[in-house]
Amino acid sequence: MGQKLQSTDDVLREALEANGQRFTEQRAAVFRFLMSTDKHPTADEVFLAVRQDVSVISLATVYKSLETLVGCGLAVKLTYGDGSARYDGRTDPHHHARCLACSRIFDVAGTLPSDEIHELHDRAQDFHVTGYRLELTGYCSHCADSMTGKERIRA
Amino acid sequence: MGQKLQSTDDVLREALEANGQRFTEQRAAVFRFLMSTDKHPTADEVFLAVRQDVSVISLATVYKSLETLVGCGLAVKLTYGDGSARYDGRTDPHHHARCLACSRIFDVAGTLPSDEIHELHDRAQDFHVTGYRLELTGYCSHCADSMTGKERIRA
DNA sequence: GTATCTGCAAATTTTTTGCCAGTAG
DNA sequence: CTACTGGCAAAAAATTTGCAGATAC
């Protein structure tokens, strides 16, 4: 709770200033929550969690703050076409695994080996690659257990 | 153009029947259009294109048809959190590259080498992997050309 | 002091749904 | 025949926006 060397708030303040934006309590609360969870919350979930932390914040501000964080490279927006976008506060390289049954998203450590990344750069001719995103699909252990095995056909 | 052995319609009919669904002219038109383009159209774009082909079809039906195709494994739904979902009729394994400037999506041939896929399976402990999706981000040649080089910072 | 940010409510955009008539099998 | 589909228009869900007052710097 106290101030450490380079607290979460400091990281945010620095990133915001680098992008010519101001540090506000609302943005800090959103950022703190994102950093504190390995869930991948929707804007609405962030809103519900953060409103307990900060007395007042509106959903619109949460949307704006999240967009600001993404713009500063402090968060990543994930979409799956099933309802709402999700936000990930982890900025170190990692992958995601999404359960096709319960839609939860799990982190998977690691990155592709650099030679594979080079290979991809080469294959994407005429395209200047700056990043990539890898998502596994399948079934989490919980959902896999509660299945007979017959429904697990569609990838 | 004419009917070959195993026409596009036949493929569709077969897939639909396998999933206990009926073959209809609307679904066929949507499917034909999806197969005929390497763009990655939104539902609305499919609607606009298909309504010229088939005399009457409604946007709601396009949505329903696309969802049916996805359910039969004949199309893939892609979302990027910037507006609408996009649909891809190519079902052979390939990757996508998305331009951060113009939002267009390009196909990138190939798959990950199988040892890398095994590696991913292993790393995603307790998760039954059935598939994956790899997306490159960056700038297409057209957008890269029209940039000074300074704006190309954010990945 | 001033440009930027927040909150509110209204607007937009995208997608889904209910219901009746039409049609595939 | 009968259940599944399509069309329509209305609803729902998610996200964005305009503006006035508050706030960071």
Side-chain angles (χ1 to χ4, degrees):
Chain A
M1 260 107 220
Q3 70 293 1
K4 313 272 172 54
L5 354 153
Q6 189 72 333
S7 69
T8 303
D9 282 4
D10 290 339
V11 173
L12 174 61
R13 188 180 292 272
E14 205 165 282
L16 286 171
E17 280 176 2
N19 285 269
Q21 310 230 48
R22 291 177 179 173
F23 178 93
T24 68
E25 202 42 56
Q26 287 84 349
R27 286 170 177 180
V30 168
F31 184 53
R32 262 185 262 117
F33 174 65
L34 259 198
M35 296 304 278
S36 75
T37 180
D38 68 337
K39 304 273 178 48
H40 300 73
T42 61
D44 200 63
E45 287 164 350
V46 173
F47 172 59
L48 294 175
V50 161
R51 83 181 333 178
Q52 312 197 313
D53 193 18
V54 183
S55 44
V56 279
I57 188 169
S58 74
L59 180 57
T61 299
V62 170
Y63 273 106
K64 288 171 185 167
S65 298
L66 287 169
E67 216 43 59
T68 302
L69 294 181
V70 171
C72 293
L74 294 172
V76 175
K77 184 177 188 175
L78 306 170
T79 58
Y80 298 97
D82 53 342
S84 357
R86 297 172 169 282
Y87 293 85
D88 185 355
R90 278 185 61 183
T91 50
D92 63 300
H94 66 285
H95 307 144
H96 290 120
R98 181 169 51 107
C99 179
L100 295 171
C102 68
S103 288
R104 265 185 295 226
I105 297 162
F106 303 86
D107 287 329
V108 177
T111 60
L112 290 178
S114 58
D115 57 331
E116 185 55 41
I117 295 180
H118 274 116
E119 171 72 19
L120 287 169
H121 279 240
D122 291 345
R123 261 198 298 231
Q125 307 159 335
D126 297 330
F127 194 88
H128 178 86
V129 179
T130 60
Y132 71 93
R133 170 174 158 184
L134 177 57
E135 294 164 5
L136 305 176
T137 47
Y139 299 91
C140 71
S141 55
H142 183 263
C143 291
D145 286 349
S146 57
M147 279 183 185
T148 62
K150 301 191 62 175
E151 309 130 79
R152 215 157 27 190
I153 11 165
R154 188 90 49 238
Chain B
M1 269 106 216
Q3 70 294 359
K4 314 271 172 56
L5 356 150
Q6 188 72 336
S7 70
T8 304
D9 282 3
D10 290 339
V11 173
L12 174 61
R13 188 181 293 274
E14 205 165 281
L16 285 171
E17 280 176 2
N19 286 268
Q21 311 232 46
R22 290 178 180 170
F23 178 93
T24 68
E25 201 44 54
Q26 288 82 351
R27 287 170 176 179
V30 167
F31 184 53
R32 262 184 263 116
F33 174 65
L34 260 197
M35 297 303 278
S36 74
T37 180
D38 67 338
K39 303 278 179 43
H40 300 75
T42 62
D44 199 62
E45 286 164 351
V46 173
F47 172 59
L48 294 175
V50 161
R51 81 180 335 177
Q52 312 198 312
D53 193 17
V54 182
S55 44
V56 278
I57 188 169
S58 74
L59 179 57
T61 299
V62 169
Y63 273 105
K64 288 171 184 168
S65 298
L66 286 169
E67 217 43 59
T68 302
L69 294 180
V70 171
C72 294
L74 294 172
V76 176
K77 184 177 187 175
L78 306 170
T79 57
Y80 299 96
D82 53 341
S84 355
R86 296 170 170 282
Y87 293 84
D88 185 355
R90 277 186 60 181
T91 50
D92 63 302
H94 67 286
H95 307 144
H96 290 119
R98 180 170 50 107
C99 180
L100 296 171
C102 68
S103 289
R104 267 184 295 225
I105 296 163
F106 303 86
D107 287 330
V108 177
T111 61
L112 290 179
S114 59
D115 57 332
E116 184 56 40
I117 295 181
H118 275 116
E119 170 72 20
L120 287 169
H121 279 239
D122 292 345
R123 263 197 299 229
Q125 308 158 334
D126 297 330
F127 193 89
H128 178 86
V129 179
T130 59
Y132 71 92
R133 169 175 158 183
L134 177 57
E135 294 164 4
L136 305 176
T137 47
Y139 299 90
C140 71
S141 54
H142 183 264
C143 291
D145 285 350
S146 57
M147 279 182 183
T148 61
K150 301 191 63 176
E151 310 129 76
R152 214 159 26 191
I153 11 167
R154 190 94 47 237

